[in-house]
Amino acid sequence: GVLSAATISFEDDAGGDRIVDSESHLLEGGFAPGDRLRVHGSGSNDGVYTVASVTASAITLAAGERKYDVDVDWLTGRVAILD
């Protein structure tokens, strides 16, 4: 699924960082535990994550997961995962 809204924010938590929607529309994205989630356009939170759990108001990301930056070359279609 794809979600984009001004009501979405990021929260750091030792038990698993969270993506939070103050208007509770996260279930509309169709995300489920185990899904890989790509965040882009957020600035410091861009990367690829694994979903641990989902509610209408929060997606909890797998705890301790390493964050990767993703680079996409739209002309060639090549995708690079950066350390």
Side-chain angles (χ1 to χ4, degrees):
V2 176
L3 290 176
S4 177
T7 59
I8 295 175
S9 62
F10 298 85
E11 294 181 354
D12 291 331
D13 187 293
D17 293 344
R18 293 181 296 174
I19 299 171
V20 178
D21 183 0
S22 62
E23 292 192 0
S24 299
H25 293 290
L26 293 176
L27 291 176
E28 295 171 14
F31 301 108
D35 285 352
R36 298 290 287 166
L37 180 96
R38 178 176 174 239
V39 174
H40 68 94
S42 72
S44 63
N45 294 298
D46 288 5
V48 179
Y49 303 91
T50 301
V51 174
S53 64
V54 182
T55 66
S57 61
I59 294 175
T60 301
L61 305 172
E65 179 174 281
R66 185 172 175 194
K67 176 180 155 182
Y68 296 94
D69 289 321
V70 178
D71 181 50
V72 178
D73 184 330
W74 297 107
L75 294 175
T76 65
R78 292 184 182 157
V79 176
I81 307 252
L82 311 170
D83 287 329

